[in-house]
Amino acid sequence: MSATTVKKRFKPTRETVLALIVLAFLLFLSGTTNFASRSGLYSFMLDVSPTIVAAIGVGMVIFTGNIDISLGTMSGFVAYTAGALVKAGAPMIVFVPAAILVGVFLAGLNGFITVKFKVPSIVVTLAMNMVHVGFYATFLPQSGWIENLGPRFTWFGRGRFFDVIPYTFVVAIVIAVFFVFVMKYSRFGKTLYAVGGDAQAAVYSGIDPDKTVMKVFLLEGFLIGISALLRAMTRNEVMPSVFIGRELFFISAALVGGISIAGGSGKIVGAVFGAMFVYLLTITMIYFGFQDYYQFALQGVIILMAVYITVTDFGRFNRLLRRITGRPPVHS
Amino acid sequence: MSTSNILEIQGIDKQFPGVKALSNVHIDLREGEVHAVCGENGAGKSTLMKIICGVHKPDSGTILLSGEPYTVENPNEAYARGIAIIYQESSLLPELTVLENIFMGHEPQKPIVPFLPAVKMIDYPSMRAKASSIFERLGMQIDLDAIVGTLGVATKQMIEIAKALTFDSQILILDEPTAALTSREVETLFETIRKLRAEGQSMLYISHRLDEIFQIADRVTVLRDGEYIETAPVTSVDKNQIVSWMVGRTLTNLYPKEEVEIGDVVLSVEGLCQEGVLDDIDFVARRGEILGIAGLAGAGRTELALALCGLTQPDAGEISLNGERVSFESYRSAMDHGIVYISEDRQAYGLVLPMMLRVNITHKVLPSISNLFGIIDRGQERGITDEYIEKLDIRAPDGDFVVNNLSGGNQQKVSVAKSLAVDPQILILDEPTRGVDVGAKSEIHRIISGLAKMGKTILLISSDLPEILGMSDRVLVMKTGTKAGEVMRRDMTQETILGMAL
């Protein structure tokens, strides 16, 4: 209601709770380690950028009730394309769009098969994941390994503002802000929630779910293209196989960020904080000297807990919080 | 009120495989009137509405909207032509706000980049203004930013109406809008409908609740078995007249009811209550008796069945079996006491469709035909399957036949066989003949009679009144979760039962 000036009470959402956790993490690391140094912050921002962009991409796919688990291997193709073109002497204005188009094409193929043949996206992308890996080994020279790409490739990925903020982080934040805006102010954004929330209700509202799913996969491909470049361009060589398994980080970032795997709910900003959370977790364990495999296992457990708290049982978490703090219930 | 017709439906026919859903139906909706369409379950009301909004296509007949021919392919086109339907099932998204929901898919937009009119963003201020004016029109205070999932059923119903109004529709269709509402909420809804009518909004109101029709409709059209029966102003008819139009069909000899000696009380229920669903239900059922359970959709018949067999837990009341008080914490324990429930939705709950006949029939008795290690004894499995294929005359070549390939009637028989395999004393059959053809229907009735003769107690839930009349020894009539009455076989007529249920 417009006329009545109801003073809104502060109501923490899933996303604000997560943001606070991330903040607490940052403070904790700054206090106990040399994280707050120039190099600590730089490497955090550099590492988290590709995950932020990819989590937004897959997050939107998850909004519609679909999933994509070929994100890692698609990234490998994008990186290879960029590397091969650079080796062939292409300028940035050529290799960047071309590499992104490869992402759009591959994700678009996933979407097309999902929509056209009514195969669940988890099956399509699982299969495509295997196809991609096989393709690397069979058809790419040296399995796609290209070295000595030189500063023509790495100048952007390694560039930084004020000697601390990577260019890649700025790209990631611009993209995040843009998509927060898209979700709020475009019909397309609303449509994603409708299709994932209740496809029948979407049809009753005059929405074509198939078209929406196709569009969201294309968009995801665009973002995966950017994400893969943000990571690839920080190194002097490309190797598609290093991207295998990256999808686990991207998807868990989206899920920790409060995007429901069932579709129809969640926020872009949640995916951004989710990505930060997942990275901070890794960094913390590195600082405290956990071995690789412990790291992996512990990370899995913590992600499970985070998803449980932010998504599955936010209601109970709220009541617990209220009992501890004596505050009125949190809005879910 | 003007008397020009805004919508004319002429001679609509619609055939579904095996069923004539509509035949030569015609309705004319005048501008600014509330026109009720009523009929029993299965009379064709919902099919007709789905034709109007483009979900189904008529086989023949024409529809004129403001005198112009009207054909639409999907709900979207219907909206564009000015017909908005408020569906029985909700079309709202629980995670989104009221504002986002009512404009879903057609949010007002404005260009944001000069010279690039294709780049648009949602125009929230105008969306808000329009939403406020719609809710004002409905006489309703609501927080536009409230998350829909946190609101009550009645509020959601009003939001559905608001959503329909955002399309600037000439015609609103309300399909059983009161099904989930309490009587006070219904009153609020009626206020709104009256308000809209006063503004000249034309509405089609689908319902089988007669009291409501007299409260808000101007005219009423009655359908029966897909056929047009009569249209009349509500002021010139009474409830009895409408009931007789609704039921006035001739009874055929579909019901091979056999006289069976009725024994002692097997099941007795006292004061059964379940919050919001069942209110103080008392009844008994005897050995060899077929107890019909009649009532409208939503009267609580299925809910009663679920509570009786441990699938839901009643809040209060007693269930006794053979004089002993029992309570079931699960369906398994009800089954162990000899109560089985055969679901109305056999495809979803009754059968595993892609599996073989023998797997389905022995499903409930697996523990007794498998050994210590859970390995199934194939001999016993085949024995049981063949026994029931023969007993119930299931039309399948053998026990390896996949259930999905059977006809509806034969699937229903498999469903019954599966339950009989546990040798129950009480069978609760929920709409056993829904969606099966006439021949199979009469076979199922013969099976039911046979079961009663064997001394089983049958609870027969049915919306098919002639079936209730033809098969039951006694009928329990339910209405909005309460027991509306009980009728003995000798006193049964369609009018008495429908009179209690309405």
Side-chain angles (χ1 to χ4, degrees), chain A residues 1 8 181 184-187 190 193-194 197-198 201 203-207 264-265 331, chain B residues 76 79 87 89 91 93 95-96 100 104-107 109 121-122 124 142 145 147 163:
Chain A
M1 306 262 100
K8 288 216 168 146
F181 186 84
K184 183 154 172 65
Y185 286 102
S186 76
R187 266 190 199 172
K190 304 292 171 197
Y193 288 122
D198 184 343
V203 173
Y204 285 159
S205 303
I207 293 166
S265 84
H331 175 73
Chain B
N76 217 5
Y79 288 135
Y87 295 90
E89 55 266 61
S91 75
L93 295 150
E95 298 269 353
L96 299 186
E100 287 170 322
M104 177 53 73
H106 62 285
E107 294 89 351
Q109 301 186 109
M121 66 179 226
I122 295 176
Y124 276 97
I142 193 166
D145 298 315
I147 303 290
K163 181 174 171 178

Side-chain angles (χ1 to χ4, degrees), chain B residues 13-48:
Chain B
D13 284 306
K14 177 72 191 173
Q15 179 92 28
F16 288 120
V19 201
K20 186 96 184 159
L22 293 175
S23 111
N24 196 23
V25 168
H26 50 97
I27 292 177
D28 54 295
L29 176 65
R30 293 179 188 153
E31 210 163 331
E33 79 166 341
V34 176
H35 192 128
V37 179
C38 73
E40 282 190 281
N41 300 340
K45 297 167 294 186
S46 289
T47 309
L48 184 64

